[in-house]
Amino acid sequence: MENLKAYIESGVLELYVLGDLSPEEALSVEEMAAKHPEIRDELAAIEEAMEQYAYQNAIEPSADVESKLFEKLGLTDIETEANQATQSTPVYVEETRIVPLDSSSGSIKVLRYALVACVALLIVSTAALFITYNKLNDAHDQIASLNLDKQKFAGVVSKMEFENQGLENIAAMADSKEWATIRLEGQAYSPSSKMKVYWNKKDKSVLINYVAMDLPKADPKHEYQLWALVDGKPVSLGVFGSSDSTGREALVKMQAIEKAQAFAVTLEPMGGSVNPTMDKLTVMGGV
């Protein structure tokens, strides 16, 4: 159940919904969904959440878009201008009567309606372009946000894959009476640091756990060195890199030791030191 919870929280289901997994990875997710109702429910919840996000962030066009565009185009007084043009229509004199041209019929009326129709079409087209432009900008922002989230999910999945490399071995060791788990706590040099060392009581082998390791990143000129305290004297068990590197196995074997009262880690120059640098004592724990 814990492994299933970790799988759901890893971010791989979000990547599946976004379509960012390889065909093999997507098939693996579908197989997990077929076996576990919890996976199917989580996928449905993710899809619904992304759909709701899209709806909630949609931008409605302003109600006065048409009037503002009308004003900018200088077309707010079309009817008035048409009437003024009609009033300026030339007249013919016949005997003593003045006969104006009939502005309500013929080509002037048709032209006026055509002009109004053209302006209306222009307004609708401009408004549609304006709305589309706003939606494109909003879509661009959403895509940028989704890309950022996708990168975060990818980082979570990468970390999860690294941690799972030794997960089965760690679980087996926890159930075995042959292995002792030694928790190393932070010292004055780095109080928040921590890590775990596994010591086999039978064959005396020693493993360090990169999954449960939290040490400061070492610079290129230094690396960490593991020590065993044997009858009050430090014995080197080898050097290793800091926990930020995921290019190695989750469990790394160090030098074996017959007996030990405690384990400790110091920061040393590349290649290690003959004696520990005590002012760089990072973590330590008793057996």
Side-chain angles (χ1 to χ4, degrees):
M1 182 61 68
E2 289 296 327
N3 289 347
L4 185 60
K5 181 180 179 182
Y7 183 81
I8 292 175
E9 295 176 352
S10 69
V12 69
L13 300 183
E14 285 82 353
L15 291 179
Y16 174 81
V17 174
L18 290 172
D20 198 46
L21 296 179
S22 66
E24 294 79 9
E25 292 170 333
L27 180 60
S28 177
V29 171
E30 291 165 1
E31 290 176 350
M32 290 289 289
K35 295 178 181 178
H36 303 285
E38 296 90 336
I39 302 295
R40 294 196 298 272
D41 294 342
E42 185 67 17
L43 285 173
I46 293 170
E47 291 173 350
E48 182 177 356
M50 289 188 176
E51 182 178 356
Q52 289 298 323
Y53 177 83
Y55 279 120
Q56 292 173 4
N57 288 273
I59 299 177
E60 291 291 338
S62 176
D64 60 346
V65 169
E66 180 176 345
S67 61
K68 289 183 178 179
L69 289 174
F70 225 128
E71 292 174 1
K72 290 183 178 180
L73 292 172
L75 299 173
T76 55
D77 298 323
I78 296 175
E79 192 68 29
T80 302
E81 293 174 0
N83 291 334
Q84 291 176 351
T86 302
Q87 292 173 3
S88 62
T89 304
V91 296
Y92 293 94
V93 178
E94 182 180 350
E95 295 179 354
T96 60
R97 293 183 303 155
I98 300 176
V99 183
L101 292 177
D102 187 1
S103 61
S104 63
S105 60
S107 61
I108 294 179
K109 184 177 180 180
V110 173
L111 181 60
R112 185 176 64 180
Y113 288 156
L115 178 59
V116 172
C118 290
V119 171
L121 180 61
L122 177 61
I123 292 171
V124 172
S125 300
T126 305
L129 288 174
F130 181 77
I131 295 171
T132 303
Y133 175 78
N134 285 338
K135 288 185 176 180
L136 285 175
N137 281 340
D138 184 59
H140 176 76
D141 293 339
Q142 291 183 22
I143 290 172
S145 177
L146 288 174
N147 283 336
L148 181 60
D149 291 341
K150 183 173 67 175
Q151 292 174 4
K152 292 180 181 179
F153 292 148
V156 172
V157 172
S158 177
K159 184 176 184 296
M160 190 66 184
E161 290 175 348
F162 164 68
E163 293 179 352
N164 285 341
Q165 289 176 2
L167 195 58
E168 294 182 359
N169 290 335
I170 294 173
M173 290 164 60
D175 294 335
S176 173
K177 296 181 180 180
E178 295 181 358
W179 289 94
T181 302
I182 299 93
R183 291 176 172 81
L184 280 59
E185 303 295 338
Q187 302 299 304
Y189 177 69
S190 181
S192 63
S193 295
K194 62 181 180 179
M195 67 176 287
K196 288 182 181 180
V197 172
Y198 298 100
W199 185 31
N200 192 297
K201 300 176 183 178
K202 184 176 181 180
D203 62 14
K204 308 303 179 182
S205 59
V206 176
L207 300 176
I208 60 173
N209 181 356
Y210 266 90
V211 174
M213 183 184 298
D214 185 7
L215 303 178
K217 182 179 180 180
D219 61 61
K221 295 182 179 180
H222 293 81
E223 59 186 339
Y224 287 102
Q225 188 166 357
L226 179 65
W227 306 87
L229 189 63
V230 181
D231 298 330
K233 296 181 179 180
V235 177
S236 175
L237 300 183
V239 296
F240 60 93
S242 54
S243 58
D244 66 307
S245 173
T246 57
R248 58 182 75 239
E249 296 294 329
L251 292 173
V252 177
K253 189 173 184 179
M254 306 299 287
Q255 296 179 22
I257 190 73
E258 284 291 327
K259 60 179 181 177
Q261 289 79 51
F263 290 90
V265 172
T266 59
L267 185 64
E268 304 293 344
M270 293 296 292
S273 302
V274 176
N275 297 306
T277 304
M278 296 308 297
D279 60 347
K280 298 292 180 66
L281 178 62
T282 308
V283 290
M284 184 174 181
V287 177

